Amino acid sequence: MGAKRTRRQTKRLYHTLTLLGVGCLIIIVVVLFQPFSSINLWLSDQLFIPESPSPNIVIAGIDDDTLEDYGRWAEWPRSLHVQAINNLSEAGARVIGFDVLFTDSSPDDQVLAEAMESAQNVVLPLVGTEPLSPAGSQITYNRFLWPVAPLEEASINVGHANVVPDPDGTVRRLPLVVRDSTG
C-alpha cells in the first residue's frame, strides 16, 4: 500500500501542477500567437541602426525618369546594359551585379555576353518562385528563373535575388542560402 499524503504534500503537488499548467499555457500562447514579435522587430530596428554607406559601393537604380525616357526595363535593348558594363568597367568596378532578370532571349544577347566576358566581373541574379518552406535559415523554392544560357555562361556567377520581408513588411535580413525542391 502507498503511504498517505499529508495535507502539505497534497498542496505542494497541486501548486506544482498548477504552475506547470500555467507555464505550458504561456508557452503555447507565445509559440502560436507570438505576442512579442512586434516588440522584437522594434527592438531590432533600435539596436541595429544603419551606418553610413560605404564610399566604394555604387548602386545605379532605375527610377521613374529613366523609365519615362527608355520605357519598361524589360523592353530595353541589351545595348544599354552593354553601355553600363563598359562605363562601370572603365570606372574601375571590381564587381558588377545586376538586379535585372534576363530570362527572355534577345537578338542582342551575344553582344551583352561579349561585354560581360570582357569585363570578367558581372554577376547575374536568379529568382526563386513558389516558396515551399517558410522564412528561415534555408528557404526552398519550387523552381528558379535563370538568365538565358549565353548570359549565364558569360557571367562569373549567379546569385539569388530573393528577399523575405518580416511580418511588418520591412526587409531586415537576407537569406544566405536558398535551394530548389531537389536540394
Side-chain angles (χ1 to χ4, degrees), residues 91-142:
R94 288 192 276 176
V95 176
I96 300 170
F98 274 90
D99 191 19
V100 175
L101 296 173
F102 296 105
T103 56
D104 296 323
S105 295
S106 166
D108 297 336
D109 281 347
Q110 190 56 41
V111 176
L112 180 56
E114 288 170 7
M116 290 168 57
E117 286 175 353
S118 175
Q120 297 181 347
N121 63 353
V122 177
V123 177
L124 294 178
L126 61 90
V127 175
T129 62
E130 304 168 35
L132 298 176
S133 66
S137 61
Q138 284 196 347
I139 299 173
T140 304
Y141 290 95
N142 190 33

Side-chain angles (χ1 to χ4, degrees), residues 16 32 37 44 56 66 69 73 85 89 99 103 135 145 147 152-153 159-160 175 180-181 183:
T16 302
L32 292 179
S37 64
S44 173
N56 60 359
T66 306
D69 290 345
W73 66 265
I85 291 171
S89 292
D99 191 19
T103 56
L145 297 176
E152 180 189 353
E153 292 166 8
H160 76 87
D180 65 7
S181 57

